[in-house]
Amino acid sequence: MIGFAAIPPEVLSQAGVAYVHYVSFMVCFGALVLERRLIKPNPSKQDATLMVITDVVYGLAALALLGSGILRVLYFGQGSAFYTENPLFWWKVGTYLAVGGLSLYPTITYILWAIPLRKGELPKVSEALAKRLGWILNIELVGFAAIPFLATLMARGVGLPAA
Ligand code: HEM
């Protein structure tokens, strides 16, 4: 049996922040997969509402992912210079920001759906819009899948300039 009391507090907090980083990543990815499955022209009220809720969950998880990442750089990792001096870290941050930027278009679209939904009406989603959103979600999924690869290399010091 592992006694939690026997674990040094700094190890426990490091593990906790790393856990938040992984769980929020999983939630983000899961939400994107669900959105990808749900997107279709003229969705039902149920599907459209689920999309809006899924996007809110995605947004909150993306913030937790960013927050835990920043905490790991500043306090719970291998020292901030270990990351900021590594171009792979900046590729990782850049990919995250690119995916986040891409999400703005679907997010604004879903926020606008909330207006008809609140009035009990269905949002109008054309074939072309559904296709466009589907492609954006595909690209986001590929971006998200690439980030852990950059992370695993970065965590092992690959890419750091020779001392
Ligand atoms: C800008 C936002 C982010 C920052 C600042 C950040 C920062 C960090 C830091 C400092 C670590 C610790 C590395 C170590 O153990 O020394 C880490 C690990 C990790 N991050 Fe992030 N991260 C961010 C976004 C993401 C995203 C979006 C994902 C997934 C899509 C992700 C996935 C991972 C994984 C899988 C690890 C574990 C690497 C390993 O230990 O092998 N991170 N991140």
Side-chain angles (χ1 to χ4, degrees):
M1 258 275 286
I2 300 169
F4 272 97
I7 306 173
E10 66 277 10
V11 173
L12 213 53
S13 48
Q14 251 177 29
V17 175
Y19 172 73
V20 172
H21 203 57
Y22 301 135
V23 168
S24 45
F25 169 42
M26 285 191 283
V27 173
C28 279
F29 203 81
L32 286 179
V33 170
L34 183 57
E35 283 186 23
R36 184 66 192 84
R37 291 291 298 158
L38 287 172
I39 184 71
K40 55 173 167 297
N42 298 317
S44 66
K45 185 168 185 254
Q46 209 178 14
D47 279 357
T49 310
L50 189 54
M51 290 282 278
V52 174
I53 295 170
T54 307
D55 204 58
V56 172
V57 171
Y58 167 72
L60 293 175
L63 284 180
L65 185 58
L66 177 64
S68 55
I70 292 173
L71 285 176
R72 289 182 91 177
V73 171
L74 294 178
Y75 308 112
F76 299 102
Q78 309 182 49
S80 53
F82 180 81
Y83 307 109
T84 55
E85 284 171 13
N86 191 337
L88 283 180
F89 168 75
W90 294 109
W91 275 101
K92 184 184 171 191
V93 173
T95 312
Y96 173 88
L97 292 177
V99 171
L102 264 183
S103 319
L104 284 179
Y105 180 66
T107 296
I108 291 168
T109 308
Y110 308 145
I111 289 172
L112 294 176
W113 289 3
I115 300 167
L117 281 171
R118 279 182 141 211
K119 291 190 209 150
E121 290 162 17
L122 287 175
K124 287 185 185 58
V125 182
S126 67
E127 189 94 40
L129 176 60
K131 219 170 174 179
R132 205 177 313 138
L133 289 173
W135 267 104
I136 291 176
L137 289 165
N138 286 348
I139 298 169
E140 285 184 48
L141 282 164
V142 171
F144 254 106
I147 294 175
F149 184 55
L150 297 171
T152 48
L153 293 175
M154 168 199 89
R156 283 150 190 86
V158 178
L160 275 174

